[in-house]
Amino acid sequence: MRKLITALLTVVLFIWSCEPNENVPQTVEFNPTLKDKLTRVDPSSVENRNGRTAGIEQWIASVNETIASQGLAIQKMEFLGAEQAGNTVFFANTGNKQLSSDFVPNDPRNGTGIDVPYVIDGTELGTSSGMSEFETYSATVAAMETWGNVTCSSGLEIPNLGVASFDIGYVQYLLGFGGIAGYFPGTVVHGGILPGAFFDAVSPGGASSILGVTFTFVWLDDLDADGKSDVAIKEIYINDVFNWQDAPDDVLGNGIYDLETVILHEAGHALSQAHFGKAFASGNGKLHFAPAALMNAGYSVARRNISGTDNAGHCSNWSNWPNN
Ligand SMILES: [Zn+2]
């Protein structure tokens, strides 16, 4: 008997010791089933893109008129600034007109139960600054795992649904920059690393000032009647214009931006956190924030951990989940 147990243990240990190298992928692997999770939209039913002449508020207002038939509205976009403070733009015509929004556990319109899953666009990975597709994919997964590992929100699971082999992103589609006529309900969509033109389109001068943006779609009906809009979709886009690097020790002023930090910031918005902290210019003309935090509206240094006000903000949103 003892020999048998020893033999079994040896086999188990052997398999275990072999596992890391064989199971940790070193390339991006697509999930072929993601198309099944997409809620498709008849392209002829939505006004999209081409020939925008109005400002972004009017543009999104007209988009919202066409997606109202799906029960959806784009509620807001939150920008992270490179050398200046970013901001938050709210759009009119979002149902109950509440400026705040949050996920509703077991929302049947989302069909994601008490999870907040995420997907990654596999067609818009990699940066012009030289980060490989696998590096930007890994930064995205690492950022989501960082939020998933915050201890106060033990009831919140943030599963990775995988990488799409097709160009995903409903905002992208609606604004005429690729994407797809469809969306992943209840899901955080990492919609891609996009050219500066997309950021110029969503904000004047955006290509040179916005590092990343998170769009919030809400359902027009406040199902849980808590006075807050119910989140339907979150979509994150990163601006390819900047010098992105895998730079965990990055500090302000060298022209480099740590990609994982910015994805972590945008994912904070996806998990319902707003901007935090007061912006001020110091003697050297650089922008600073007090208190310094990941959720400041501007980039200052690489931050890959959740602490202080970022942790407090997250816990206030999620510590009771899914019992809120
Ligand atoms: Zn932000």
Side-chain angles (χ1 to χ4, degrees), residues 210-267:
I210 297 170
L211 294 170
V213 60
T214 301
F215 289 87
T216 299
F217 287 76
V218 294
W219 297 111
L220 288 171
D221 295 327
D222 181 12
L223 194 72
D224 60 347
D226 65 348
K228 291 181 174 183
S229 296
D230 302 343
V231 172
I233 316 155
K234 295 278 188 171
E235 290 191 354
I236 293 169
Y237 299 94
I238 303 295
N239 184 352
D240 191 40
V241 165
F242 290 89
N243 185 5
W244 299 109
Q245 299 298 335
D246 179 11
D249 301 318
D250 181 45
V251 294
L252 181 69
N254 58 8
I256 287 174
Y257 296 90
D258 179 48
L259 180 66
E260 185 176 324
T261 296
V262 172
I263 295 174
L264 192 65
H265 173 100
E266 299 307 334

